[in-house]
Structures are given as structure tokens and as C-alpha cells.
Amino acid sequence: MQPTDLIWMNGDFVAWENAKVLVLTHGLHYGTGVFEGVRCYDTELGPAVFRNADHVERLLRSAELYYMPVPYSAEQIRAATLELVARNGLRSCYIRPIVFRGYGQMGLNPLDCNVDVTIACWEWATYLGEEGKANGIRAKVSSWRRIGPDSLIPQAKASGQYLNSVLAKVESMKAGYQEAILLDDHGYVCEGTGENVYLVREGEIVTPGQSNSILDGITRRSVIQIARDLGYTVSERNVGRAELYLADEVFLSGTAAELVPVVEIDDHPIGGYREWLDVVVPRDLETPAGDVSERRITGATG
Ligand code: PPE
């Protein structure tokens, strides 16, 4: 990680190396924090933060779900983010706001604990590697299920919840894959450890829906909107595990990862079955002559 000059901390810009917390910080012990990942891109208009308002809104909603009153308004957090990027002299970067229960009280009741807010940013190029972004990654369906709505809050982007992603990520990497895909508590496809997932089959784009325990990704909203604007059908529905294997394409989306193709899942090459069909059922044996319509007739009448 390449340090930048400043981190915004509870209303002040402090030097990167001074943006510290005490080891007795509540969020460190119990995971009582909520955060965002946001990206700033170098555009023709200068550095521009992608969907800043949506990220801040999700941050504040996540905080509310965990009973954390945030001592700054959405407007203040948006403005602090823009000023931080400018003061660090960055043109494109990853931005990490976090709201967490601070130092003062121990024990499971967090309600008397301070709520601290910090924002950091740094240059974070590719999340799943240059090679993975360009040519696709190999993924494994995790033996760990995605956190369910009866024990945690899948809609919240909360620090403690990421232990679930950490287990799945480590399992997949130790098994030689680059990413894990988690199933939801009903066994339907949910998402990656830090990305939403999509499949493409016969031109239709399919992605798990809100009731599949996904994080409502902001990149996902853009993917769906852009795809629909381009005339694609996008369905949000339950996705069975093997639908991934049978897809023509699978891809992931997230702020850190951006868009990444998945070329193999559980050692099934994605889209590969088409090639396999061509080899196993050579069309020429069925249809020795004629155009496509004649071939069908020939095949049907024997
Ligand atoms: N699901 C999960 C579990 C998730 O963490 C992310 C973002 C997404 C889906 C995609 O959401 P969005 O970024 O709004 O499109 N993961 C963030 C954290 C990654 C990390 O390693 O830290 C991110 O991409 O910033």
C-alpha cells in the first residue's frame, strides 16, 4: 500500500502516519464498523468520484442498521472525500470511508461508545490482478455460505461481516483459485467475497436478486442500467450453482475489482461446453448436405 499525505479523521486532515486509534477501539474487538469502497477516476473533467452520493448513502444506511449515529451529514462526508482526494494530489484512487465504534467502553453494548469517522485514499490499481482483469480468473464455489439475514445483515457493509468473506477467500486461494463464489443460505448463488456476480446465457444477463443475501452493489446498479440501456434483458432471480457452469459467460463487478471475467468455476470452463458439443456431436454427421432448414428436415424424417 502506497501511503498518501493525509487522512480525514473526525473532521480534521491529519498526516497519514498520525491517523491512529487505540488498541482498545471497540470496532477492533467486535467488528462494530461500517465502511465503503469508492473510486475516483481521472476523467476529461479532472478527477471524478464515481457515484459518491450513492456510496455515502449506503454508508449512512449501514451505520443506521447497526445503531450507529454518524456525527456528520452526507453532505459533509461527500465534501470531505472530494477535498481529501484533491489535497492528496491524486488523479485516480480508491477511497475508504469507515464509521466505527471507538475507544471508551468494552463489552457488547456499543451504545455508549464514541462513533469515529475516517476517510483514507490511496492508489489501488487492480484487485484481482492485471492478468485476471484482462483474461479472466478461476473461481471456486465456497464451502462457506454467505451470511444470512437471520444472523447478520447482508445489506450492510459492516466490518465484522467480512470474516465470512475472509474465510471464503482464504479457502479458495489455498485451493489454487483466485476468487470464491458464495451460495446464500438456501443454496442459490449469492456473490463473490467482494463482488457481485452475473452470468450470460443466450444473450440474457442474469444476476442474483436482493433476497439472495447480496450486498446491493453500486457497480451492480450501473451494470444493470447500462446493460438495459444497451437493449439487453437483465433478470434478477435465484441462480442455481450449475447455471454458472452452463453459462456462456460469467463476470464479477465491484468497486475494487471493477469488471472481471470468470473463465473457470470448479474446474468447469465457462462457455466451454459449446466447444465440447461441437466435438462430440459433429453437425456434419447429422446433416450431410443442404442448408440449415433442409438439414432439419433431413434429420427429422431420417
Ligand atoms: N459484495 C460484497 C460482499 C462487497 O464487499 C462488494 C464491494 C460488492 C459486492 C460490490 O459492491 P460495489 O463496490 O458497491 O459495487 N467490495 C468492496 C470491498 C473490497 C475489499 O477488499 O475491501 C469494494 O469493492 O470496494
Coordinates of all heavy atoms in Angstrom, one line a residue, residues 20 246 288:
K20 N -4.2 7.4 13.8 CA -4.1 6.1 14.6 C -5.3 6.0 15.6 O -5.9 7.0 15.9 CB -2.8 6.1 15.5 CG -1.6 6.0 14.6 CD -0.4 6.1 15.5 CE 0.9 6.0 14.6 NZ 2.1 6.4 15.4
L246 N -23.0 -23.7 -16.7 CA -23.6 -23.9 -18.1 C -23.7 -22.5 -18.8 O -24.2 -22.5 -19.9 CB -25.0 -24.4 -17.9 CG -25.1 -25.9 -17.5 CD1 -26.5 -26.3 -17.1 CD2 -24.5 -26.8 -18.6
P288 N -25.6 -34.2 -43.6 CA -24.6 -34.3 -44.6 C -24.7 -33.2 -45.7 O -23.7 -32.9 -46.3 CB -24.7 -35.7 -45.2 CG -26.0 -36.3 -44.7 CD -26.5 -35.4 -43.6

